Amino acid sequence: PAAVEAAGNKYLAREHFAAAGLPVPAYFRVPLDSDPSTACARAPWPCVLKPIGLSGSRGVIRANTSDEFLAAFDRIRRLLDSPDILRHRDPALGFIQIEEYIPGREFALEGLMTAGRLRTLALFDKPDPLDGPFFEETIYVTPSRQPTAAQQAMHDAIQKACTALGLSDGPVHAELRANENGVWVLEVAARPIGGLCARVLRFNG
């Protein structure tokens, strides 16, 4: 249960990744009812604002200026105050996380953990540039067109992230970015991939 909780909480996941020596951007969280101007003064630029307890890039917004930051903060606050969100009663939804923006290509990895070891089932390329301000995902491509060494580096990073979170058995869906500074794990969810993408995965035996 602790591993699943950490995987579903962007702040706890960052704490676990940092403790394990994985590269992480500058980040901090603030309560939903805090003064956005104070948070804005601390923000690394450009930055990304994220509701801590949501998934699927919902409510994730890039800000390049203080005006964009304040508008994004207000937009996320209104989203988290909506009835369909409040009914979940998740304490994590009472916070917004501010992170340094990570440039680079984005990928998704679908895997299966067995006794602590990751088996990569599919690596998805995301050919659309996901530079913000919103991060709607429209196209996934698999098999990946990345070189073997790059794919191995992504697998190794997700293995390390899963170990850091304490995930040992079951499906994982991970989002990551790669640039000249290496592989950056965005998040690892303790579940299979959602939406229509799951239909492209077929396994025999």
Side-chain angles (χ1 to χ4, degrees):
V4 174
E5 179 186 6
N9 183 304
K10 292 178 174 62
Y11 181 78
L12 292 178
R14 283 279 178 257
E15 295 281 277
H16 282 72
F17 295 163
L22 284 161
V24 296
Y27 67 97
F28 64 95
R29 65 177 178 177
V30 295
L32 193 61
D33 58 359
S34 63
D35 179 8
S37 298
T38 302
C40 184
R42 298 176 55 194
W45 301 104
C47 66
V48 179
L49 291 81
K50 301 179 175 183
I52 287 180
L54 295 184
S55 61
S57 300
R58 190 177 184 190
V60 177
I61 307 173
R62 174 176 170 172
N64 300 314
T65 66
S66 56
D67 286 344
E68 291 178 359
F69 183 101
L70 297 176
F73 199 102
D74 181 66
R75 185 186 183 109
I76 294 172
R77 181 151 43 189
R78 286 186 281 110
L79 169 65
L80 295 179
D81 279 340
S82 62
D84 65 317
I85 299 295
L86 289 174
R87 67 183 174 85
H88 293 291
R89 302 181 186 275
D90 183 352
L93 295 172
F95 294 88
I96 294 177
Q97 183 151 302
I98 293 93
E99 294 185 356
E100 181 181 8
Y101 171 73
I102 304 169
R105 289 279 308 279
E106 191 161 317
F107 303 87
L109 184 146
E110 189 73 4
L112 183 66
M113 295 292 291
T114 304
R117 294 188 63 184
L118 172 67
R119 176 186 176 191
T120 293
L121 303 177
L123 180 65
F124 293 91
D125 296 346
K126 300 183 184 182
D128 286 347
L130 296 171
D131 299 326
F134 304 104
F135 298 89
E136 181 181 7
E137 299 170 341
T138 56
I139 301 175
Y140 276 35
V141 176
T142 194
S144 173
R145 298 177 182 178
Q146 295 301 298
T148 300
Q151 295 191 41
Q152 185 63 49
M154 294 184 214
H155 170 95
D156 293 346
I158 300 305
Q159 171 70 76
K160 192 170 183 178
C162 289
T163 301
L165 292 169
L167 297 172
S168 61
D169 293 273
V172 293
H173 173 71
E175 305 281 341
L176 58 153
R177 287 201 171 210
N179 57 32
E180 64 275 8
N181 295 318
V183 176
W184 301 72
V185 179
L186 301 179
E187 61 182 36
V188 177
R191 58 169 175 79
I193 193 170
L196 299 177
C197 291
R199 297 184 182 182
V200 307
L201 301 176
R202 294 290 186 271
F203 307 105
N204 298 319

